[in-house]
Amino acid sequence: MKLPCGHPCVGFCGDPCPPLCRTCDREELTEILFGSEDEDDARFVLLEDCGHTIEAEGLKEWLAQDGGEIGMKQCPRCKKPIYNNRRYYGFLLKAYKDVEAVKKKYFREKKTVRKQDLLLLLQDSSLNPDLTTKLRRLESIVEQTYRHLSDAELNLVQFQGSIIHRANSVLTQAPQYTRKLAEKVHFVVSRVMEQKLRITTQMMEEITGELQRLAILPAYWNLSEKLIQNDEHILMSIHRRITKIFSPTVKFNDEKEREVRELLKESEKYLGQLGITDAERMEIINAMGLKQGHWYKCPKGHYYCIANCGRAVVESKCPECGKPIGGRNHRLRSDNTVAAELFTARNSYR
């Protein structure tokens, strides 16, 4: 078949024609991904979900890989899930069946999985003593009353545990300001711990934003101290802008945080390092779907979950057959990947 440009199609008869031409788009088409893209007889496949044109043999080997983690197959270039491809339908169908099996297992064992996940979150004893005490209190609640907790109460406990961990990170990132930060951090934590039955999305946003503000407050204090000996006009302007953003009347969110970090980075050109941390933003917890775990299949085909707590590199045993699982070969994906794929895949293979 001929492309609109008059040159031969680089795909297969019966498949959707890739839009790239071996002559007109050679540089883009033969960009090396698997190694054989620049061979004269290489054939290509169009991935309709994302629009990328991928060399066929390399794509086949990519789709045939089985790293153990459950999820739909992905484009090797952009990692977008692949739902529509007749040529490699067998690989997609197998992945879909695994996703469906995980969905059934999850909803059948949801309570048990979530309890284990919560306990892993709450069993850290390496925190600030006061924060550790609060974690132990939450752990006791989960251990003793888990069966009687509503979804709203579970969401609250999960958020409280996550806030305690984030608060500890804020307290330990700048030792010279720990005492100065302590009162502010513990006030935020106490506000969260006062909640007993549920927590609103608005409050979760406010608490998360406040902890992010406290995380970069030490760098602002450092700037303020250095300005005593430096009256550079541009630095004074930066300081005023940050002070305005830090006003209690201004809601501190992602956009404000980026703005403050950029201003602090700008001031470092004149004052040297201010101790700006690159702490990972704590996402607001969404307990719907499969937010908390990553699902895998053991060598015998049994499905199991590893919680989102950094323990995927720990080797363990399959709870059903005892085969070794986990270890350093695990590759964690983003929290929402499986949940999104469960929904999309269900609607793609009807």
Side-chain angles (χ1 to χ4, degrees), residues 47 49 59 62-64 71-75 80-99 345 349:
L47 297 180
D49 296 286
L59 177 61
W62 166 267
L63 295 175
M72 292 302 294
K73 297 296 183 179
Q74 301 175 330
C75 168
K80 183 174 181 178
I82 304 171
Y83 300 110
N84 304 291
N85 188 276
R86 287 174 293 179
R87 176 162 296 276
Y88 298 121
Y89 177 78
F91 294 117
L92 305 187
L93 183 60
K94 181 177 181 297
Y96 166 73
K97 288 180 177 179
D98 283 339
V99 169
Y349 285 89

Side-chain angles (χ1 to χ4, degrees), residues 202-214:
Q202 179 179 345
M203 187 173 185
M204 293 169 76
E205 290 175 348
E206 291 174 356
I207 294 297
T208 301
E210 181 61 13
L211 280 181
Q212 291 304 127
R213 185 180 76 87
L214 294 180

Side-chain angles (χ1 to χ4, degrees), residues 33 99 108:
L33 179 65
V99 169
R108 185 172 65 246

Side-chain angles (χ1 to χ4, degrees), residues 18 65 71 73-74 81 102 110-111 138 154 212 222 226 245 291 310:
Q65 291 178 353
K73 297 296 183 179
Q74 301 175 330
V102 165
K110 179 179 178 181
K111 294 287 283 187
L138 292 176
L154 289 173
Q212 291 304 127
N222 198 351
K226 289 186 175 183
I245 295 173
K291 175 68 175 177

Side-chain angles (χ1 to χ4, degrees), residues 118 121-122 127 131 134-135 137-139 141-142 149 152-168 188-199 203-204 207 211 282 285:
L118 275 175
L121 175 69
L122 303 175
L127 309 183
L131 296 178
K134 289 179 169 58
L135 268 191
R137 193 177 307 139
L138 292 176
E139 182 184 3
I141 291 173
V142 173
L149 296 177
E153 289 170 319
L154 289 173
N155 291 349
L156 173 59
V157 171
Q158 186 176 344
F159 184 70
Q160 289 172 328
S162 298
I163 285 297
I164 289 173
H165 280 278
R166 187 70 184 90
N168 187 75
V188 174
V189 173
S190 296
R191 188 179 171 208
V192 175
M193 299 304 290
E194 288 172 356
Q195 310 306 307
K196 301 301 180 185
L197 299 177
R198 62 188 296 271
I199 187 165
M203 187 173 185
M204 293 169 76
I207 294 297
L211 280 181
M282 190 194 78
I285 294 171

